[in-house]
């Protein structure tokens, strides 16, 4: 995360001095877009941390092997894939609900991460491990699906495309 911040600020210095930067500085003048960028970065680091640390946690406390931990991560991945497929008509494309979906998805990711802190150390209870992983998939899906409408809502039309590319760069720097 520290390297990401260093690279980001070094890019900002370059963008200020260059006449035609790759990502225009006008993006940083939009307050709602900056809020979205910060939330997207934090969400990406939380997702990366979860996907990286969950198998280690399961190995240390429950003596799982890699394929067993992978099956639990798979549950969240399938949930993340199925929510947008089946719920695409329920999610609004425009309007204030997109911020609600981003906030709800981020809260669900945080709660599902906190749920692993209360797992019993001695006994493996499948429901206590699988349910937070399903919630995690739901949270990732809600935040990811709401990202493009939020970019469109917070930026003028001339910056939509570059704004979405910048969000994908932020996700990459966050580890997602």
């Amino acid at each position: 995360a520290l390297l990401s911040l260093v690279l980001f600020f070094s890019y900002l210095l370059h963008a200020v001095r260059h006449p035609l930067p790759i990502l225009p500085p006008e993006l940083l003048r939009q307050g709602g877009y900056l809020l979205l960028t910060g939330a997207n970065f934090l969400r990406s680091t939380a997702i990366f941390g979860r996907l990286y640390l969950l198998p280690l946690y399961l190995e240390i406390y429950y003596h799982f092997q890699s394929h067993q931990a992978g099956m639990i991560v798979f549950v969240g991945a399938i949930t993340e894939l199925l929510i947008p497929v089946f719920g695409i008509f329920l999610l609004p494309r425009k309007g204030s609900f997109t911020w609600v979906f981003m906030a709800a998805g981020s809260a669900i990711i945080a709660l599902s991460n906190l749920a692993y802190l209360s797992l019993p150390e001695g006994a493996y209870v499948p429901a206590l491990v699988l349910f937070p992983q399903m919630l995690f998939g739901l949270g990732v899906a809600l935040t990811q699906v709401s990202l493009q409408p939020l970019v469109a809502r917070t930026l003028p039309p001339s910056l939509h495309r570059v704004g979405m590319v910048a969000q994908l760069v932020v996700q990459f720097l966050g580890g997602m």
Side-chain angles (χ1 to χ4, degrees):
L2 182 61
L3 178 62
S4 299
L5 291 173
V6 169
L7 290 173
F8 178 71
F9 285 114
S10 64
Y11 169 75
L12 287 180
L13 287 173
H14 171 72
V16 168
R17 290 185 279 147
H18 197 276
L20 293 171
I22 297 170
L23 297 174
E26 293 89 40
L27 290 176
L28 302 176
R29 294 187 191 114
Q30 309 290 331
Y33 186 78
L34 285 177
L35 177 66
L36 176 63
T37 302
N40 191 22
F41 180 76
L42 292 175
R43 176 189 69 94
S44 297
T45 55
I47 290 170
F48 173 74
R50 167 65 166 269
L51 294 176
Y52 177 73
L53 294 174
L54 179 63
L56 294 175
Y57 180 84
L58 294 171
E59 179 185 342
I60 291 169
Y61 284 102
Y62 297 120
H63 309 291
F64 274 33
Q65 295 179 357
S66 298
H67 69 282
Q68 293 168 317
M71 291 301 291
I72 291 175
V73 171
F74 177 74
V75 169
I78 289 298
T79 306
E80 177 187 349
L81 290 173
L82 292 179
I83 295 295
V85 169
F86 293 115
I88 195 72
F89 301 109
L90 301 175
L91 298 174
R93 298 277 181 208
K94 297 178 181 176
S96 60
F97 283 111
T98 51
W99 280 110
V100 171
F101 281 124
M102 178 61 88
S106 299
I108 289 171
I109 290 170
L111 290 174
S112 68
N113 285 340
L114 289 174
Y116 280 105
L117 296 177
S118 64
L119 288 176
E121 289 184 27
Y124 170 69
V125 181
L128 292 179
V129 174
L130 293 177
F131 184 68
Q133 190 63 16
M134 289 174 68
L135 284 178
F136 176 74
L138 173 67
V140 170
L142 286 174
T143 56
Q144 196 65 25
V145 168
S146 64
L147 190 60
Q148 189 276 331
L150 284 173
V151 168
R153 186 165 183 229
T154 57
L155 292 175
S158 63
L159 294 175
H160 285 183
R161 196 168 177 185
V162 71
M164 193 60 203
V165 169
Q167 291 302 316
L168 295 175
V169 168
V170 166
Q171 285 181 350
F172 175 75
L173 293 176
M176 202 169 130

